[in-house]
Amino acid sequence: MRTTIADLDVHTSTDDVAGRDVLLWHHGSPQTGAILPPVQAAADAHGLAVVSVARPAYAGSPRIPGRSVADVAEGLRPVLEALGVASVVSVGASGGGPHAIACAVAMPALVRRVVTFASPAPFDGSDAWFAGMQVPQALRAAAEGEDARRRFAEIDEFDPASFVDADYATLEGEWASLGADVAASEPYGIDGLIDDDLAFARPWGFALEEVAASVLLVQGERDRVIPSQHARTLAAALPDATLHLHPDDGHVSVLRYLSAAL
C-alpha cells in the first residue's frame, strides 16, 4: 500500500499496521522507498509488518533543504503515530543506516532495536574518514557544501570497481530488485542523493552516546563504498552495539544477512 502521511511518501506491507510490530525500512541512496521483495520476505519470516518511507526529495516526498539526519528521524514520528504501530525494529542499508540509528533517539519508547548494513559513521572532519572509499569525491564535495556537491554531480559516474564480485552476484540474485529500484529513482532527480550526502558530511543532529537501543551493525570487510572502519567507529561509540563483520562481503552482499540479523 502506498499513501501520503505528513507530506511523506509512505509504503506499508498491509492496509492496516495499527498495533503491529514493524520493520521500519530506511532505504539506501538513491532509491524510491518502495518495499523490496527480500525486505518483505525477511519481515514475513519474523512476523513483522513493513513500513518504508521515502526520505525528503526522494520519490513523492518533498525536499527539505538543509535537512539533517535527526530531522529525517523526527519527520517519521508523525508517520508512525498516524499508523499506530506497536513497536519498531529500525533497519537501514547504506545511506539509510544513520537514519535508522537516529530513530532510536527521536522515538526511544518505540524503537528498541536497530540494525544497519554498511552504514557510514559520523563525519569527523578528518581525511581518514574517506580512507578505503573507491570513489570518495562525492562525499568530499559534500563536505565543502552544496555548491561543490552539485558541481561534482555534473561529472559523477558509477565506478564498477566500487562493488566486489559478491555484490554483483547478490544484485543478479535475491536483491535484483534493489538495482531496479535505484533505476526507478532516476526520474525523480538527484536532490535526495545530494541532500543525503550533505547530511552525512555535517553533524547528524544527535550524539551516538544518546542511543539507548541495542544496535546490530552488519558490515562487509571488502566494502569499497563505506569501508569497515566506519562500522568499527560506530561500534566503539554506541552504548549497546554488536558488530558482525563478514570478511568476504562488500557493500551490497551484506544484505543477504537481513533475515539472520532480524
Side-chain angles (χ1 to χ4, degrees):
M1 177 182 176
R2 183 179 182 182
T3 188
T4 300
I5 303 175
D7 290 331
L8 295 173
D9 193 9
V10 179
H11 299 258
T12 59
S13 58
T14 179
D15 289 348
D16 187 5
V17 297
R20 294 285 304 274
D21 299 323
V22 306
L23 186 166
L24 177 61
W25 178 254
H26 303 267
H27 62 79
S29 313
Q31 288 184 252
T32 69
I35 298 174
L36 304 180
V39 175
Q40 183 68 68
D44 288 345
H46 295 276
L48 300 169
V50 182
V51 175
S52 179
V53 183
R55 287 191 291 280
Y58 285 111
S61 296
R63 187 182 184 220
I64 302 177
R67 63 171 165 87
S68 68
V69 171
D71 290 336
V72 172
E74 287 291 343
L76 293 175
R77 184 198 302 271
V79 173
L80 296 175
E81 289 176 350
L83 292 172
V85 306
S87 70
V88 167
V89 180
S90 187
V91 184
S94 188
H99 301 95
I101 296 170
C103 283
V105 176
M107 298 168 280
L110 198 60
V111 180
R112 302 297 180 86
R113 301 286 186 272
V114 177
V115 183
T116 69
F117 295 85
S119 174
F123 182 53
D124 61 5
S126 75
D127 200 56
W129 191 82
F130 303 98
M133 295 181 183
Q134 180 68 26
V135 183
Q137 291 92 329
L139 288 168
R140 286 188 182 276
E144 297 176 14
E146 183 173 347
D147 288 345
R149 180 62 183 85
R150 289 192 179 277
R151 286 195 299 272
F152 178 73
E154 296 175 0
I155 61 170
D156 188 17
E157 292 184 2
F158 175 71
D159 183 345
S162 297
F163 290 167
V164 299
D165 289 347
D167 293 326
Y168 287 110
T170 301
L171 287 169
E172 292 171 2
E174 179 186 5
W175 285 85
S177 56
L178 190 154
D181 191 63
V182 170
S185 74
E186 292 179 3
Y188 295 101
I190 62 172
D191 282 347
L193 175 60
I194 287 176
D195 288 346
D196 273 355
D197 283 352
L198 292 170
F200 302 148
R202 57 179 172 240
W204 286 5
F206 66 96
L208 293 178
E209 292 76 11
E210 298 178 63
V211 180
S214 68
V215 182
L216 174 59
L217 306 160
V218 186
Q219 176 71 41
E221 294 253 44
R222 299 181 64 201
D223 194 328
R224 298 173 180 174
V225 179
I226 302 296
S228 60
Q229 60 166 318
H230 286 255
R232 291 183 171 90
T233 297
L234 287 167
L238 289 162
D240 184 3
T242 302
L243 176 58
H244 284 188
L245 292 171
H246 296 275
D248 297 322
D249 284 288
H251 190 67
V252 177
S253 61
V254 289
L255 290 170
R256 297 180 295 178
Y257 305 105
L258 173 57
S259 186
L262 292 176

